[in-house]
Amino acid sequence: MYDYLIVGSGLYGATCAYELKKRGKKVLVIEKREHIGGNIYTEKMHGIQVHRYGAHIFHTNSKELWDYINQFADFNRYTNSPTANYRGKIYNLPFNMNTFYQLWGTSTPQQAMAKITEQRAEIGDRKPKNLEEQAISLVGRDIYEILIKGYTEKQWGRPASELPAFIIKRLPVRFTYDNNYFNDRFQGIPIGGYTQIVEKMLDGIEVRLNTDYFAERSDHNALAKKVIYSGAIDRYFDYRYGKLEYRSLRFENEVVDTPNIQGNAVVNYTDKEVPYTRIIEHKHFDPVESSRSVITREYPVEWQDGMEPYYPVNNEQNNALYRRYRELSKAEEKVFFGGRLAEYRYYDMHQVIASALKDLQSML
Ligand code: FAD
Ligand code: UDP
């Protein structure tokens, strides 16, 4: 008999497992994939650490969380500064003085602000109702049309006018010549990849791979006093109220015979004609000398059974459905729900760790 059965070996499950073991608890982790780590999994290809489930950059404002993750790996000083390719022309991201210069030829913050003020007048002082209005209100129509609309509608498969405003607020808008994608105090990539972090977290803990919780649900439940579930919440309740919507991704990897093909780790393709949203060149995250390079194109698709659900689609309808599932989850006395899928939240890695550490108090 285990004290805890943890469903999912992603960052949420692994953080819980590590902390519980530290407190003397007997833990079993089951994972339906053939490897640990969930979406932060990285693997070596041609000497290069490849982010199998999309680019992952660790960033946080919290010293405590930065120290926490640094227990498990050494981090480099990588700063994410993606570029955008719109119909062959390159722009800097996030939206900053370089971008404004490239678009409008403005060279001072006052000139750029004047341009944005003029362009956001169509929204005025009203509270933006959706992503489109929020974007125009933040940076004006030109940037919306060139750098946001095409990318967003490919990524989410829905009109920007039907998406929640908060999604675009993830991106900084700055009146300095600073291409850092994040405002956080701490940022980096673990040297040698993310998988080692989860390996260290799960060191000495029994893990069963290729094991789906639902394949033998009652047998699995019988193994432990308590269950920590980090899979999709609607699946847990057999889609009783219907399915939540997710976006999935198809990753197309290519090995190229050149040491440096795009000069940057992340290039976003912001026009709607190019079917992928971004190309990742992995070696720029954790640099290595090699004559070849590995790139990945990301094609967004609507989630269907059998695919990985990567992004919750947090519009009002799905959030309302999620709340109904959340009510059901409260009645599951020995089960704790957490992580990106069980909470149906667009969590970054640092937020998942913070949430696991907080949830732990009620799990003990
Ligand atoms: P997951 O990693 O999804 O782990 C859940 C695990 O549970 C999976 O391994 C799954 O296989 C397993 N599981 C599910 N159901 C079952 C079942 N029935 N039985 C057994 N096992 C099951 N965050 C950042 O901070 N920076 C970034 O740059 C960043 N980039 C991202 C890019 C992409 C494309 C994506 C999709 C996410 C990105 N994130 C980023 C977010 C980050 O991936 C998540 O915050 C984090 O991985 C969530 O961890 P988790 O454990 O909640 O979920
Ligand atoms: N976004 C955009 N253009 C870009 C990059 C991002 O319009 O070049 C929008 C898009 O809606 C995206 C959101 O900003 O979903 C958040 O971007 P982020 O890079 O944080 O997405 P993630 O890395 O989580 O996929």
Side-chain angles (χ1 to χ4, degrees):
M1 189 76 172
Y2 297 89
D3 294 313
Y4 295 86
L5 169 72
I6 301 187
V7 181
S9 66
L11 195 53
Y12 186 87
T15 305
C16 292
Y18 174 76
E19 291 296 328
L20 289 166
K21 177 169 181 270
K22 218 163 71 179
R23 288 163 177 76
K25 304 295 179 188
K26 198 168 170 222
V27 177
L28 169 67
V29 177
I30 59 171
E31 168 56 58
K32 69 175 178 184
R33 297 187 198 178
E34 82 287 0
H35 61 75
I36 57 167
N39 293 338
I40 71 171
Y41 179 73
T42 49
E43 62 190 336
K44 226 179 196 177
M45 283 173 72
H46 304 283
I48 298 161
Q49 286 293 339
V50 170
H51 297 208
R52 171 141 18 134
Y53 303 98
H56 277 74
I57 301 108
F58 196 93
H59 57 97
T60 179
N61 240 335
S62 155
K63 171 94 166 62
E64 198 187 331
L65 291 173
W66 182 243
D67 289 344
Y68 190 84
I69 198 77
N70 274 269
Q71 295 175 81
F72 307 105
D74 283 334
F75 277 70
N76 66 19
R77 54 159 200 86
Y78 178 83
T79 300
N80 199 31
S81 39
T83 50
N85 180 320
Y86 178 80
R87 299 186 176 158
K89 192 162 183 251
I90 300 293
Y91 297 88
N92 286 111
L93 292 172
F95 315 119
N96 73 79
M97 287 300 294
N98 291 306
T99 331
F100 308 144
Y101 175 71
Q102 289 148 356
L103 268 164
W104 302 314
T106 49
S107 56
T108 65
Q110 288 68 26
Q111 288 167 0
M113 276 179 209
K115 196 80 192 163
I116 289 175
T117 306
E118 174 194 315
Q119 293 209 357
R120 63 182 300 283
E122 63 177 286
I123 303 295
D125 289 335
R126 84 186 132 88
K127 190 171 182 288
K129 288 195 301 290
N130 53 51
L131 196 155
E132 176 173 285
E133 290 191 3
Q134 180 68 68
I136 296 172
S137 158
L138 282 171
V139 285
R141 186 161 281 272
D142 285 352
I143 294 184
Y144 171 66
E145 297 287 347
I146 294 174
L147 298 176
I148 299 174
K149 185 174 163 55
Y151 186 101
T152 295
E153 296 190 346
K154 285 190 286 189
Q155 168 72 7
W156 297 99
R158 288 151 178 80
S161 55
E162 289 171 21
L163 287 163
F166 83 88
I167 294 177
I168 199 67
K169 288 204 244 166
R170 287 168 62 87
L171 272 51
V173 179
R174 296 195 186 102
F175 293 91
T176 52
Y177 289 91
D178 177 0
N179 298 324
N180 184 347
Y181 203 59
F182 303 111
N183 283 328
D184 290 331
R185 202 173 142 201
F186 307 101
Q187 176 175 182
I189 300 283
I191 299 164
Y194 284 92
T195 304
Q196 62 178 321
I197 293 177
V198 182
E199 273 167 5
K200 285 186 198 151
M201 285 178 159
L202 296 178
D203 187 32
I205 292 171
E206 187 182 342
V207 180
R208 296 185 192 163
L209 298 175
N210 301 303
T211 305
D212 188 336
Y213 172 66
F214 298 108
E216 290 155 82
R217 190 170 180 159
S218 48
D219 291 354
H220 283 135
N221 286 339
L223 292 172
K225 293 179 201 146
K226 294 176 185 171
V227 176
I228 297 171
Y229 177 80
S230 70
I233 191 164
D234 52 343
R235 171 69 187 91
Y236 182 91
F237 292 105
D238 298 317
Y239 305 113
R240 190 180 307 176
Y241 299 140
K243 286 185 177 174
L244 288 163
E245 293 176 306
Y246 301 89
R247 288 299 278 175
S248 191
L249 295 167
R250 180 167 66 81
F251 297 103
E252 189 184 85
N253 291 338
E254 191 185 340
V255 182
V256 290
D257 251 332
T258 168
N260 176 14
I261 194 163
Q262 67 177 15
N264 204 5
V266 185
V267 179
N268 291 356
Y269 286 77
T270 58
D271 52 295
K272 67 173 192 312
E273 291 80 19
V274 176
Y276 41 86
T277 45
R278 49 190 173 192
I279 302 183
I280 307 304
E281 186 170 14
H282 300 269
K283 71 183 337 180
H284 297 300
F285 286 125
D286 183 3
V288 284
E289 288 292 325
S290 94
S291 59
R292 287 192 273 197
S293 196
V294 182
I295 60 170
T296 306
R297 293 181 180 81
E298 273 182 34
Y299 296 82
V301 286
E302 194 65 12
W303 176 84
Q304 288 171 11
D305 273 334
M307 294 177 180
E308 289 299 340
Y310 292 116
Y311 293 89
V313 182
N314 288 112
N315 58 22
E316 275 170 30
Q317 189 191 332
N318 285 317
N319 287 346
L321 183 55
Y322 165 70
R323 284 194 293 273
R324 296 181 70 196
Y325 281 120
R326 197 177 132 71
E327 276 311 305
L328 285 182
S329 75
K330 288 181 187 159
E332 299 287 296
E333 271 174 19
K334 69 171 227 172
V335 187
F336 301 92
F337 295 78
R340 189 146 153 151
L341 297 172
E343 292 181 67
Y344 199 65
R345 278 183 71 170
Y346 194 176
Y347 271 145
D348 278 328
M349 291 180 277
H350 61 292
Q351 295 166 319
V352 164
I353 296 175
S355 144
L357 294 176
K358 182 164 164 282
D359 293 350
L360 211 69
Q361 313 308 321
S362 58
M363 291 172 183
L364 291 164

